[in-house]
PDB file of all heavy atoms in Angstrom:
ATOM      1  N   SER A   1      10.285   8.928   5.881  1.00 72.00           N
ATOM      2  CA  SER A   1      10.779   9.433   4.597  1.00 72.00           C
ATOM      3  C   SER A   1       9.679   9.429   3.541  1.00 72.00           C
ATOM      4  O   SER A   1       9.788  10.082   2.518  1.00 72.00           O
ATOM      5  CB  SER A   1      11.972   8.605   4.114  1.00 72.00           C
ATOM      6  OG  SER A   1      11.542   7.308   3.723  1.00 72.00           O
ATOM      7  N   LEU A   2       8.601   8.703   3.809  1.00 72.00           N
ATOM      8  CA  LEU A   2       7.480   8.632   2.874  1.00 72.00           C
ATOM      9  C   LEU A   2       6.595   9.870   2.920  1.00 72.00           C
ATOM     10  O   LEU A   2       5.827  10.113   2.002  1.00 72.00           O
ATOM     11  CB  LEU A   2       6.618   7.405   3.190  1.00 72.00           C
ATOM     12  CG  LEU A   2       7.291   6.055   3.085  1.00 72.00           C
ATOM     13  CD1 LEU A   2       6.381   4.978   3.659  1.00 72.00           C
ATOM     14  CD2 LEU A   2       7.655   5.745   1.658  1.00 72.00           C
ATOM     15  N   GLN A   3       6.680  10.640   3.991  1.00 69.00           N
ATOM     16  CA  GLN A   3       5.747  11.754   4.190  1.00 69.00           C
ATOM     17  C   GLN A   3       5.776  12.760   3.042  1.00 69.00           C
ATOM     18  O   GLN A   3       4.746  13.262   2.639  1.00 69.00           O
ATOM     19  CB  GLN A   3       6.039  12.469   5.510  1.00 69.00           C
ATOM     20  CG  GLN A   3       4.930  13.405   5.936  1.00 69.00           C
ATOM     21  CD  GLN A   3       3.612  12.673   6.212  1.00 69.00           C
ATOM     22  OE1 GLN A   3       3.554  11.821   7.067  1.00 69.00           O
ATOM     23  NE2 GLN A   3       2.575  12.999   5.475  1.00 69.00           N
ATOM     24  N   ARG A   4       6.936  13.007   2.488  1.00 68.00           N
ATOM     25  CA  ARG A   4       7.005  13.990   1.391  1.00 68.00           C
ATOM     26  C   ARG A   4       6.417  13.427   0.090  1.00 68.00           C
ATOM     27  O   ARG A   4       5.981  14.167  -0.767  1.00 68.00           O
ATOM     28  CB  ARG A   4       8.431  14.476   1.200  1.00 68.00           C
ATOM     29  CG  ARG A   4       9.400  13.454   0.706  1.00 68.00           C
ATOM     30  CD  ARG A   4      10.834  14.010   0.596  1.00 68.00           C
ATOM     31  NE  ARG A   4      11.755  13.007   0.157  1.00 68.00           N
ATOM     32  CZ  ARG A   4      12.281  12.069   0.925  1.00 68.00           C
ATOM     33  NH1 ARG A   4      11.973  12.002   2.188  1.00 68.00           N
ATOM     34  NH2 ARG A   4      13.115  11.186   0.424  1.00 68.00           N
ATOM     35  N   VAL A   5       6.411  12.088  -0.055  1.00 68.00           N
ATOM     36  CA  VAL A   5       5.883  11.462  -1.268  1.00 68.00           C
ATOM     37  C   VAL A   5       4.391  11.162  -1.130  1.00 68.00           C
ATOM     38  O   VAL A   5       3.626  11.307  -2.071  1.00 68.00           O
ATOM     39  CB  VAL A   5       6.663  10.165  -1.572  1.00 68.00           C
ATOM     40  CG1 VAL A   5       6.112   9.488  -2.817  1.00 68.00           C
ATOM     41  CG2 VAL A   5       8.141  10.465  -1.727  1.00 68.00           C
ATOM     42  N   TRP A   6       3.960  10.754   0.065  1.00 66.00           N
ATOM     43  CA  TRP A   6       2.575  10.391   0.322  1.00 66.00           C
ATOM     44  C   TRP A   6       2.041  11.271   1.455  1.00 66.00           C
ATOM     45  O   TRP A   6       1.721  10.778   2.533  1.00 66.00           O
ATOM     46  CB  TRP A   6       2.456   8.915   0.718  1.00 66.00           C
ATOM     47  CG  TRP A   6       3.195   7.989  -0.185  1.00 66.00           C
ATOM     48  CD1 TRP A   6       4.374   7.358   0.075  1.00 66.00           C
ATOM     49  CD2 TRP A   6       2.839   7.601  -1.504  1.00 66.00           C
ATOM     50  NE1 TRP A   6       4.754   6.599  -0.989  1.00 66.00           N
ATOM     51  CE2 TRP A   6       3.839   6.725  -1.977  1.00 66.00           C
ATOM     52  CE3 TRP A   6       1.760   7.902  -2.332  1.00 66.00           C
ATOM     53  CZ2 TRP A   6       3.791   6.156  -3.247  1.00 66.00           C
ATOM     54  CZ3 TRP A   6       1.730   7.333  -3.588  1.00 66.00           C
ATOM     55  CH2 TRP A   6       2.725   6.475  -4.036  1.00 66.00           C
ATOM     56  N   PRO A   7       1.924  12.567   1.247  1.00 63.00           N
ATOM     57  CA  PRO A   7       1.590  13.487   2.345  1.00 63.00           C
ATOM     58  C   PRO A   7       0.220  13.268   2.980  1.00 63.00           C
ATOM     59  O   PRO A   7       0.021  13.590   4.144  1.00 63.00           O
ATOM     60  CB  PRO A   7       1.678  14.864   1.697  1.00 63.00           C
ATOM     61  CG  PRO A   7       1.536  14.626   0.238  1.00 63.00           C
ATOM     62  CD  PRO A   7       2.079  13.254  -0.021  1.00 63.00           C
ATOM     63  N   ALA A   8      -0.723  12.702   2.268  1.00 59.00           N
ATOM     64  CA  ALA A   8      -2.074  12.534   2.832  1.00 59.00           C
ATOM     65  C   ALA A   8      -2.219  11.238   3.620  1.00 59.00           C
ATOM     66  O   ALA A   8      -3.254  10.970   4.197  1.00 59.00           O
ATOM     67  CB  ALA A   8      -3.106  12.575   1.711  1.00 59.00           C
ATOM     68  N   THR A   9      -1.171  10.443   3.634  1.00 69.00           N
ATOM     69  CA  THR A   9      -1.229   9.139   4.289  1.00 69.00           C
ATOM     70  C   THR A   9      -0.550   9.200   5.646  1.00 69.00           C
ATOM     71  O   THR A   9       0.516   9.777   5.776  1.00 69.00           O
ATOM     72  CB  THR A   9      -0.531   8.090   3.394  1.00 69.00           C
ATOM     73  OG1 THR A   9      -1.140   8.119   2.114  1.00 69.00           O
ATOM     74  CG2 THR A   9      -0.652   6.707   3.971  1.00 69.00           C
ATOM     75  N   ARG A  10      -1.163   8.592   6.632  1.00 79.00           N
ATOM     76  CA  ARG A  10      -0.583   8.582   7.975  1.00 79.00           C
ATOM     77  C   ARG A  10       0.589   7.618   8.039  1.00 79.00           C
ATOM     78  O   ARG A  10       0.490   6.473   7.643  1.00 79.00           O
ATOM     79  CB  ARG A  10      -1.644   8.188   9.000  1.00 79.00           C
ATOM     80  CG  ARG A  10      -2.598   9.358   9.262  1.00 79.00           C
ATOM     81  CD  ARG A  10      -3.749   8.901  10.098  1.00 79.00           C
ATOM     82  NE  ARG A  10      -4.866   8.825   9.146  1.00 79.00           N
ATOM     83  CZ  ARG A  10      -5.960   8.155   9.305  1.00 79.00           C
ATOM     84  NH1 ARG A  10      -6.153   7.467  10.379  1.00 79.00           N
ATOM     85  NH2 ARG A  10      -6.897   8.159   8.394  1.00 79.00           N
ATOM     86  N   ILE A  11       1.701   8.107   8.565  1.00 74.00           N
ATOM     87  CA  ILE A  11       2.904   7.299   8.732  1.00 74.00           C
ATOM     88  C   ILE A  11       2.896   6.778  10.161  1.00 74.00           C
ATOM     89  O   ILE A  11       2.704   7.535  11.101  1.00 74.00           O
ATOM     90  CB  ILE A  11       4.174   8.148   8.483  1.00 74.00           C
ATOM     91  CG1 ILE A  11       4.093   8.908   7.151  1.00 74.00           C
ATOM     92  CG2 ILE A  11       5.422   7.282   8.576  1.00 74.00           C
ATOM     93  CD1 ILE A  11       3.912   8.068   5.928  1.00 74.00           C
ATOM     94  N   ARG A  12       3.133   5.484  10.308  1.00 80.00           N
ATOM     95  CA  ARG A  12       3.074   4.894  11.643  1.00 80.00           C
ATOM     96  C   ARG A  12       4.173   3.865  11.833  1.00 80.00           C
ATOM     97  O   ARG A  12       4.741   3.371  10.866  1.00 80.00           O
ATOM     98  CB  ARG A  12       1.732   4.183  11.838  1.00 80.00           C
ATOM     99  CG  ARG A  12       0.567   5.095  11.631  1.00 80.00           C
ATOM    100  CD  ARG A  12      -0.693   4.357  11.876  1.00 80.00           C
ATOM    101  NE  ARG A  12      -1.804   5.208  11.470  1.00 80.00           N
ATOM    102  CZ  ARG A  12      -3.007   4.767  11.277  1.00 80.00           C
ATOM    103  NH1 ARG A  12      -3.293   3.511  11.454  1.00 80.00           N
ATOM    104  NH2 ARG A  12      -3.964   5.586  10.921  1.00 80.00           N
ATOM    105  N   GLU A  13       4.404   3.533  13.089  1.00 83.00           N
ATOM    106  CA  GLU A  13       5.240   2.378  13.370  1.00 83.00           C
ATOM    107  C   GLU A  13       4.451   1.148  12.944  1.00 83.00           C
ATOM    108  O   GLU A  13       3.217   1.146  12.979  1.00 83.00           O
ATOM    109  CB  GLU A  13       5.578   2.300  14.852  1.00 83.00           C
ATOM    110  CG  GLU A  13       6.523   3.395  15.293  1.00 83.00           C
ATOM    111  CD  GLU A  13       6.888   3.266  16.755  1.00 83.00           C
ATOM    112  OE1 GLU A  13       5.980   3.092  17.585  1.00 83.00           O
ATOM    113  OE2 GLU A  13       8.089   3.346  17.044  1.00 83.00           O
ATOM    114  N   ARG A  14       5.163   0.114  12.581  1.00 88.00           N
ATOM    115  CA  ARG A  14       4.506  -1.081  12.050  1.00 88.00           C
ATOM    116  C   ARG A  14       3.463  -1.647  13.021  1.00 88.00           C
ATOM    117  O   ARG A  14       2.332  -1.925  12.626  1.00 88.00           O
ATOM    118  CB  ARG A  14       5.565  -2.124  11.715  1.00 88.00           C
ATOM    119  CG  ARG A  14       4.989  -3.340  11.105  1.00 88.00           C
ATOM    120  CD  ARG A  14       6.000  -4.257  10.490  1.00 88.00           C
ATOM    121  NE  ARG A  14       7.214  -4.403  11.252  1.00 88.00           N
ATOM    122  CZ  ARG A  14       8.285  -5.038  10.821  1.00 88.00           C
ATOM    123  NH1 ARG A  14       8.290  -5.568   9.636  1.00 88.00           N
ATOM    124  NH2 ARG A  14       9.354  -5.146  11.550  1.00 88.00           N
ATOM    125  N   ALA A  15       3.817  -1.813  14.268  1.00 90.00           N
ATOM    126  CA  ALA A  15       2.883  -2.396  15.240  1.00 90.00           C
ATOM    127  C   ALA A  15       1.649  -1.514  15.413  1.00 90.00           C
ATOM    128  O   ALA A  15       0.531  -2.012  15.528  1.00 90.00           O
ATOM    129  CB  ALA A  15       3.579  -2.608  16.583  1.00 90.00           C
ATOM    130  N   ALA A  16       1.841  -0.198  15.404  1.00 89.00           N
ATOM    131  CA  ALA A  16       0.714   0.728  15.558  1.00 89.00           C
ATOM    132  C   ALA A  16      -0.217   0.659  14.352  1.00 89.00           C
ATOM    133  O   ALA A  16      -1.442   0.703  14.498  1.00 89.00           O
ATOM    134  CB  ALA A  16       1.213   2.143  15.775  1.00 89.00           C
ATOM    135  N   LEU A  17       0.342   0.565  13.167  1.00 91.00           N
ATOM    136  CA  LEU A  17      -0.491   0.467  11.963  1.00 91.00           C
ATOM    137  C   LEU A  17      -1.320  -0.816  12.005  1.00 91.00           C
ATOM    138  O   LEU A  17      -2.527  -0.796  11.779  1.00 91.00           O
ATOM    139  CB  LEU A  17       0.375   0.472  10.706  1.00 91.00           C
ATOM    140  CG  LEU A  17      -0.421   0.303   9.413  1.00 91.00           C
ATOM    141  CD1 LEU A  17      -0.125   1.432   8.453  1.00 91.00           C
ATOM    142  CD2 LEU A  17      -0.178  -1.028   8.766  1.00 91.00           C
ATOM    143  N   ILE A  18      -0.665  -1.921  12.312  1.00 94.00           N
ATOM    144  CA  ILE A  18      -1.353  -3.209  12.294  1.00 94.00           C
ATOM    145  C   ILE A  18      -2.448  -3.268  13.353  1.00 94.00           C
ATOM    146  O   ILE A  18      -3.518  -3.827  13.123  1.00 94.00           O
ATOM    147  CB  ILE A  18      -0.333  -4.353  12.463  1.00 94.00           C
ATOM    148  CG1 ILE A  18       0.548  -4.428  11.208  1.00 94.00           C
ATOM    149  CG2 ILE A  18      -1.021  -5.676  12.729  1.00 94.00           C
ATOM    150  CD1 ILE A  18       1.739  -5.353  11.334  1.00 94.00           C
ATOM    151  N   ALA A  19      -2.218  -2.663  14.508  1.00 95.00           N
ATOM    152  CA  ALA A  19      -3.203  -2.708  15.597  1.00 95.00           C
ATOM    153  C   ALA A  19      -4.290  -1.647  15.469  1.00 95.00           C
ATOM    154  O   ALA A  19      -5.296  -1.700  16.165  1.00 95.00           O
ATOM    155  CB  ALA A  19      -2.489  -2.538  16.938  1.00 95.00           C
ATOM    156  N   SER A  20      -4.119  -0.697  14.578  1.00 94.00           N
ATOM    157  CA  SER A  20      -5.026   0.430  14.472  1.00 94.00           C
ATOM    158  C   SER A  20      -6.453   0.006  14.126  1.00 94.00           C
ATOM    159  O   SER A  20      -6.670  -0.762  13.180  1.00 94.00           O
ATOM    160  CB  SER A  20      -4.529   1.408  13.410  1.00 94.00           C
ATOM    161  OG  SER A  20      -5.470   2.432  13.220  1.00 94.00           O
ATOM    162  N   PRO A  21      -7.437   0.533  14.839  1.00 95.00           N
ATOM    163  CA  PRO A  21      -8.830   0.202  14.518  1.00 95.00           C
ATOM    164  C   PRO A  21      -9.310   0.814  13.197  1.00 95.00           C
ATOM    165  O   PRO A  21     -10.352   0.416  12.687  1.00 95.00           O
ATOM    166  CB  PRO A  21      -9.612   0.772  15.702  1.00 95.00           C
ATOM    167  CG  PRO A  21      -8.737   1.809  16.290  1.00 95.00           C
ATOM    168  CD  PRO A  21      -7.326   1.394  16.015  1.00 95.00           C
ATOM    169  N   ASP A  22      -8.549   1.754  12.630  1.00 93.00           N
ATOM    170  CA  ASP A  22      -8.982   2.338  11.360  1.00 93.00           C
ATOM    171  C   ASP A  22      -8.324   1.673  10.149  1.00 93.00           C
ATOM    172  O   ASP A  22      -8.345   2.210   9.049  1.00 93.00           O
ATOM    173  CB  ASP A  22      -8.764   3.862  11.352  1.00 93.00           C
ATOM    174  CG  ASP A  22      -7.307   4.266  11.373  1.00 93.00           C
ATOM    175  OD1 ASP A  22      -6.464   3.443  11.786  1.00 93.00           O
ATOM    176  OD2 ASP A  22      -6.999   5.412  10.990  1.00 93.00           O
ATOM    177  N   ILE A  23      -7.777   0.486  10.337  1.00 95.00           N
ATOM    178  CA  ILE A  23      -7.220  -0.302   9.238  1.00 95.00           C
ATOM    179  C   ILE A  23      -8.026  -1.596   9.128  1.00 95.00           C
ATOM    180  O   ILE A  23      -8.206  -2.315  10.106  1.00 95.00           O
ATOM    181  CB  ILE A  23      -5.727  -0.644   9.483  1.00 95.00           C
ATOM    182  CG1 ILE A  23      -4.859   0.609   9.575  1.00 95.00           C
ATOM    183  CG2 ILE A  23      -5.205  -1.602   8.405  1.00 95.00           C
ATOM    184  CD1 ILE A  23      -4.658   1.342   8.271  1.00 95.00           C
ATOM    185  N   ASP A  24      -8.533  -1.882   7.924  1.00 97.00           N
ATOM    186  CA  ASP A  24      -9.275  -3.121   7.668  1.00 97.00           C
ATOM    187  C   ASP A  24      -8.404  -4.181   7.012  1.00 97.00           C
ATOM    188  O   ASP A  24      -8.560  -5.372   7.272  1.00 97.00           O
ATOM    189  CB  ASP A  24     -10.463  -2.851   6.729  1.00 97.00           C
ATOM    190  CG  ASP A  24     -11.405  -1.808   7.266  1.00 97.00           C
ATOM    191  OD1 ASP A  24     -11.809  -1.915   8.436  1.00 97.00           O
ATOM    192  OD2 ASP A  24     -11.742  -0.870   6.498  1.00 97.00           O
ATOM    193  N   VAL A  25      -7.516  -3.732   6.117  1.00 97.00           N
ATOM    194  CA  VAL A  25      -6.698  -4.640   5.318  1.00 97.00           C
ATOM    195  C   VAL A  25      -5.245  -4.214   5.433  1.00 97.00           C
ATOM    196  O   VAL A  25      -4.925  -3.022   5.293  1.00 97.00           O
ATOM    197  CB  VAL A  25      -7.110  -4.594   3.819  1.00 97.00           C
ATOM    198  CG1 VAL A  25      -6.246  -5.528   2.989  1.00 97.00           C
ATOM    199  CG2 VAL A  25      -8.580  -4.892   3.642  1.00 97.00           C
ATOM    200  N   VAL A  26      -4.360  -5.178   5.660  1.00 97.00           N
ATOM    201  CA  VAL A  26      -2.924  -4.916   5.683  1.00 97.00           C
ATOM    202  C   VAL A  26      -2.316  -5.553   4.440  1.00 97.00           C
ATOM    203  O   VAL A  26      -2.457  -6.757   4.212  1.00 97.00           O
ATOM    204  CB  VAL A  26      -2.260  -5.492   6.952  1.00 97.00           C
ATOM    205  CG1 VAL A  26      -0.748  -5.302   6.899  1.00 97.00           C
ATOM    206  CG2 VAL A  26      -2.842  -4.846   8.204  1.00 97.00           C
ATOM    207  N   ILE A  27      -1.649  -4.720   3.639  1.00 95.00           N
ATOM    208  CA  ILE A  27      -0.914  -5.219   2.476  1.00 95.00           C
ATOM    209  C   ILE A  27       0.537  -5.374   2.909  1.00 95.00           C
ATOM    210  O   ILE A  27       1.142  -4.434   3.428  1.00 95.00           O
ATOM    211  CB  ILE A  27      -1.016  -4.247   1.279  1.00 95.00           C
ATOM    212  CG1 ILE A  27      -2.460  -4.174   0.791  1.00 95.00           C
ATOM    213  CG2 ILE A  27      -0.083  -4.693   0.149  1.00 95.00           C
ATOM    214  CD1 ILE A  27      -2.679  -3.183  -0.341  1.00 95.00           C
ATOM    215  N   VAL A  28       1.090  -6.558   2.686  1.00 95.00           N
ATOM    216  CA  VAL A  28       2.448  -6.880   3.130  1.00 95.00           C
ATOM    217  C   VAL A  28       3.356  -6.980   1.912  1.00 95.00           C
ATOM    218  O   VAL A  28       3.206  -7.891   1.094  1.00 95.00           O
ATOM    219  CB  VAL A  28       2.464  -8.209   3.921  1.00 95.00           C
ATOM    220  CG1 VAL A  28       3.873  -8.543   4.395  1.00 95.00           C
ATOM    221  CG2 VAL A  28       1.490  -8.133   5.096  1.00 95.00           C
ATOM    222  N   THR A  29       4.287  -6.028   1.799  1.00 92.00           N
ATOM    223  CA  THR A  29       5.213  -6.028   0.668  1.00 92.00           C
ATOM    224  C   THR A  29       6.661  -5.937   1.129  1.00 92.00           C
ATOM    225  O   THR A  29       7.526  -5.525   0.366  1.00 92.00           O
ATOM    226  CB  THR A  29       4.902  -4.867  -0.309  1.00 92.00           C
ATOM    227  OG1 THR A  29       5.085  -3.634   0.369  1.00 92.00           O
ATOM    228  CG2 THR A  29       3.497  -4.974  -0.866  1.00 92.00           C
ATOM    229  N   VAL A  30       6.919  -6.322   2.365  1.00 91.00           N
ATOM    230  CA  VAL A  30       8.290  -6.338   2.883  1.00 91.00           C
ATOM    231  C   VAL A  30       9.007  -7.581   2.370  1.00 91.00           C
ATOM    232  O   VAL A  30       8.397  -8.461   1.760  1.00 91.00           O
ATOM    233  CB  VAL A  30       8.293  -6.317   4.436  1.00 91.00           C
ATOM    234  CG1 VAL A  30       7.753  -5.005   4.962  1.00 91.00           C
ATOM    235  CG2 VAL A  30       7.514  -7.495   4.994  1.00 91.00           C
TER     236      VAL A  30
END
């Protein structure tokens, strides 16, 4: 549902985002 608000940002499943080699920092706001 975020895609229409943040179109330039990749939407991922949580585990995929956290494991992704192209992520250096994870911000946790859950």
Side-chain angles (χ1 to χ4, degrees):
S1 70
L2 299 170
Q3 194 63 60
R4 67 182 178 281
V5 179
W6 312 105
T9 305
R10 284 171 255 160
I11 309 302
R12 303 182 189 164
E13 290 182 312
R14 183 167 40 188
L17 177 125
I18 292 170
S20 175
D22 67 339
I23 298 289
D24 303 310
V25 179
V26 176
I27 295 177
V28 180
T29 63
V30 294

